[in-house]
Amino acid sequence: GYMMENRISGLKCDTDVFVTFEGDNIVMLQVVVRELLAQYSRQYEERPILSLLQTWAECGGDKLRTSFLAFNMDTSGNLAFLLKAVNFRERILQRGLVTRIYYKVVTKKEDFFNAWNSCLHHITTLSLAHIHRVTLEQFSLAVRSCPDQEDQALLMKFCLLYGTKLVFQERAWYLEHKYFTPVASVRIRRQLLNLCQSVKDDALRVISAFNIPHTTLQAPIAGIANPLASWAFYPAPRQPEKAARPQLPKLAAKL
């Protein structure tokens, strides 16, 4: 399967029992959303009034944040701005998915399976937004707990780069929901380029800390065009350079 093709099983077969399953990414994303909706429903069952008030407060805060009365002190270069942005995106997508499924199942009396499949694009988008939010939050917590000040400053650059990349790749969605202005979108694009420029000299040093085998980096999942090429599995041997032939001096005189 795809794990064996991309040499993932060779790394995890002794430590992860689930490596034998040929899981589809779309299926795994649906499992994530199913758990999110289960937590959402459980919250309303255990504390209905408090959950309803909390939802109303979040909706009011999100509408105020995207209105012309919004006043945000956080700048795009601040990690707090990026964390709030990914949290906002996940909240809006989750409420939108709940509303869609409720309308299809309760109002239109559709089958839940058909309603779920009709919202599949929204489901995968919400799942990725949740994964991105959790990853960025855990990344920031790990950076702040780093004991070495020099390493903490270096990792904070990569944390800002990751958060900026998440917001940048979804800037059209944020603009549609009026979360930030076109001027802020341009500022985020410049920030992404500046961060890439600032970490280019330290990128290989940070990546080498993971000690990823070279053959795994050259796997087809990494974008190798021809997985059967010999250089895709092992580094190509260095060929000895041929000595250049000495050039004979040109005769200046004509015969």
Side-chain angles (χ1 to χ4, degrees), residues 46-58:
E46 296 175 355
R47 299 173 298 174
I49 299 178
L50 182 60
S51 299
L52 185 61
L53 294 176
Q54 183 179 359
T55 302
W56 285 349
E58 290 179 353

Side-chain angles (χ1 to χ4, degrees), residues 76 78-88 90 128-144 155-168 174 191 195:
S76 59
N78 192 352
L79 184 59
F81 171 83
L82 303 174
L83 289 171
K84 290 179 181 178
V86 294
N87 271 280
F88 172 81
E90 182 185 359
L128 290 174
H130 172 74
I131 294 171
H132 293 160
R133 191 264 303 172
V134 173
T135 305
L136 182 59
E137 287 182 350
Q138 295 301 317
F139 195 174
S140 63
L141 291 176
V143 171
R144 289 170 181 171
L155 293 176
M156 180 56 70
K157 291 183 180 180
F158 285 95
C159 186
L160 288 173
L161 176 60
Y162 176 67
T164 305
K165 182 251 183 183
L166 293 179
V167 177
F168 174 77
Y174 287 107
Q191 176 178 315
L195 287 172

Side-chain angles (χ1 to χ4, degrees), residues 9 48 53 57 76 90 99 106 148 187 196-197 203 220 223 242-243 254:
S9 58
L53 294 176
S76 59
E90 182 185 359
T99 303
V106 178
D148 189 88
R187 193 181 301 117
C196 290
Q197 180 71 19
K242 296 182 179 180
K254 294 183 179 180

Side-chain angles (χ1 to χ4, degrees), residues 34-50:
R34 185 187 65 178
E35 180 61 26
L36 289 177
L37 296 183
Q39 295 177 4
Y40 189 85
S41 302
R42 196 180 308 116
Q43 179 182 356
Y44 274 88
E45 292 176 358
E46 296 175 355
R47 299 173 298 174
I49 299 178
L50 182 60

Side-chain angles (χ1 to χ4, degrees), residues 203-219:
L204 293 179
R205 181 162 61 94
V206 174
I207 293 175
S208 62
F210 292 96
N211 197 21
I212 302 176
H214 179 72
T215 55
T216 304
L217 291 176
Q218 299 291 345

